[in-house]
Every structure is written in structure tokens, then in C-alpha cells.
């Protein structure tokens, strides 16, 4: 967990917004039905927090959908 007060004092901003889930849903359902992916697996990539910039590249290249950043 990241303390919000520390982020605020450091001038760091966290932003969120809607995800284009409906765009990917038909393909994901197909992969689940064909047992090519396991829907029970939530995170498909785990990286330390200091490599967070790599997350955007992995998602852009469709190597990751849901990433867990660890401290």
C-alpha cells in the first residue's frame, strides 16, 4: 500500500479512468472457452515498483493486461 500523504508531499500524481474492457472482452472470452488462458489468474506480470515504466510498454505491446507492482 502506498501512503497517499507521502505521494501528495512528493508531488506525485495518480490518475485513473475507464478501461476499454468491452473492446477486449470477446477475444478474452474466446481464449477462456478454448482454455488458452486461465481466468483465475489475475495478474499476468509482476514487477518491482522501480520498473513501473516498463508496465506501459508491456501493456502497449499486449504482453500484459493486469500488472502487479511490488515494493
Amino acid at each position: 500500500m502506498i501512503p497517499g500523504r507521502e505521494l501528495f508531499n512528493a508531488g506525485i500524481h495518480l490518475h485513473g479512468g475507464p478501461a476499454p474492457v468491452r473492446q477486449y472482452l470477446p477475444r478474452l472470452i474466446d481464449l477462456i472457452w478454448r482454455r488458452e488462458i486461465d481466468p483465475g489468474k489475475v495478474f499476468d506480470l509482476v514487477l518491482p515498483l522501480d520498473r513501473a515504466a516498463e508496465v506501459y510498454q508491456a501493456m502497449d505491446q499486449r504482453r500484459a493486461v493486469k500488472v502487479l507492482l511490488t515494493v
Side-chain angles (χ1 to χ4, degrees):
M1 175 170 246
I2 301 173
R5 188 172 297 234
E6 289 182 26
L7 291 176
F8 182 80
N9 292 333
I12 297 172
H13 303 274
L14 291 176
H15 299 273
V21 175
R22 292 195 185 278
Q23 176 181 348
Y24 304 107
L25 196 54
R27 171 84 173 125
L28 291 173
I29 290 173
D30 182 54
L31 291 171
I32 291 167
W33 277 110
R34 289 188 284 131
R35 298 187 184 276
E36 292 185 30
I37 63 170
D38 178 6
K41 184 177 176 181
V42 176
F43 299 102
D44 55 357
L45 180 62
V46 179
L47 289 173
L49 186 58
D50 63 347
R51 293 178 54 193
E54 294 176 40
V55 171
Y56 295 99
Q57 184 177 17
M59 294 175 103
D60 186 54
Q61 296 172 348
R62 304 294 188 253
R63 291 184 291 116
V65 175
K66 199 68 150 176
V67 181
L68 174 64
L69 293 172
T70 59
V71 181

